[in-house]
Amino acid sequence: MSVAGMTLTGTSARGRRRLPDLTGWGFVLPATLVIVGLSIFPAIWALLLSLRDGDLITGGSYVGLQNYADMLGDTALHAAAGHTLLYTVLFVPGSIVLGLVLATALNLPIRFIGLYRTCIFVPYVVSAAATGILANFVFDPDFGIVNAALRALGLPGMGFLQDPDQAMITLVVVSLWGGVGMPAVVYLAALQDIPKQLVEAARVDGAERRHVFRHVTLPQLRPATVFLAIWQTITALQLFDLVYTTTKGQPLDSTTVIVFYLYRQAFQLFHSGYGAAVAYGLFVVTLVASAGALWYTRRAEA
């Protein structure tokens, strides 16, 4: 066979090997373009919008980094950041610990375990808007189920979502009910992935159940814990739906979180440039928090 024929044959073979890759890209390319377009274009548009003082209708004038500078002296934004931080500090550890407890219980060989697992996960797939509407009925100070139970026990009713001192705690409780399914499922999968030989070896060596859990189970769950810490932190920093459907930032702005604050600025007060700047500030904070968690984890494992 001539050199030219060998070259042609080699080229045809490479083309046939690449054909499955091209076929795969042909299927996923349209969806990829849609997803990238819906992600990158709004991000660039919001960045350009944050450099102007206009609203969503008029372009406004170019102000550079003035919107970002105004954030430093915005006391209302600082209060919203404090509320978001409080919610994050309460929700993230609470959801992780409660999810681990539930996953440990759901990993036991008991009857109707599939039903129990479904009941734990169902609230997570329910929309936050539906959860908020349900919370309004459950925690209503006058006609809510919780206060009715308290009065039946001879205890005084509580304000819950209408009390500035209780509203944020009530939101955390509602969020835990609706969001604990995610940590429970992740931990359950991680528990079932732990090699049984490790547990059996520890028990043969005389380790008690609590020692096995502390020194064998928990180290094996570290990757799942890191993932959940980052995921739940991002979820907490982006809290909006539940606030919008329950308190709308009230009473006395005690539940105004960052995302609801930027929504108010952009879509109620029509300060869309400033709202976009707040959104980018939140993005930077989320990115730094996630990177810090990954760095700390890798350093601990080194």
Side-chain angles (χ1 to χ4, degrees), residues 74-97:
D74 189 347
T75 56
L77 175 61
H78 299 165
H83 299 154
T84 304
L85 179 61
L86 174 61
Y87 176 85
T88 303
V89 169
L90 295 176
F91 172 74
V92 176
S95 63
I96 292 176
V97 172

Side-chain angles (χ1 to χ4, degrees), residues 123-142:
Y124 177 75
V125 299
V126 175
S127 68
T131 302
I133 295 173
L134 178 62
N136 286 328
F137 288 100
V138 173
F139 293 102
D140 186 271
D142 299 320

Side-chain angles (χ1 to χ4, degrees), residues 49-50 73 75 87 108 133 176 245 269-270 285 295:
L49 188 63
S50 69
T75 56
Y87 176 85
L108 299 175
I133 295 173
L176 289 176
T245 54
L269 302 178
F270 299 103
V285 171
W295 174 82

Side-chain angles (χ1 to χ4, degrees), residues 18-28:
R18 293 176 180 175
L19 183 60
D21 296 335
L22 295 177
T23 303
W25 276 109
F27 281 108
V28 303

Side-chain angles (χ1 to χ4, degrees), residues 114-181:
L115 175 63
Y116 301 146
R117 292 172 180 174
T118 302
C119 292
I120 293 298
F121 189 69
V122 162
Y124 177 75
V125 299
V126 175
S127 68
T131 302
I133 295 173
L134 178 62
N136 286 328
F137 288 100
V138 173
F139 293 102
D140 186 271
D142 299 320
F143 308 104
I145 299 175
V146 177
N147 268 348
L150 291 176
R151 296 189 185 100
L153 296 174
L155 300 175
M158 304 179 68
F160 295 119
L161 294 173
Q162 297 183 17
D163 189 331
D165 297 326
Q166 301 175 11
M168 183 57 71
I169 304 299
T170 305
L171 287 180
V172 173
V173 172
V174 175
S175 298
L176 289 176
W177 175 83
V180 75

Side-chain angles (χ1 to χ4, degrees), residues 17 66 96 108 147 156 176 201 219 237 242 294:
R17 287 195 298 268
Q66 185 60 45
I96 292 176
L108 299 175
N147 268 348
L176 289 176
L237 293 177
L242 190 60
L294 290 174

Side-chain angles (χ1 to χ4, degrees), residues 80 83 161 164 167-168 171 240-257 260-261 263-264 268:
H83 299 154
L161 294 173
M168 183 57 71
L171 287 180
F240 173 76
D241 294 5
L242 190 60
V243 173
Y244 183 81
T245 54
T246 54
T247 63
K248 290 185 170 55
Q250 302 305 316
L252 302 178
D253 288 332
S254 60
T255 58
T256 299
V257 292
F260 187 82
Y261 178 79
Y263 162 80
R264 179 185 295 169
Q268 293 182 340

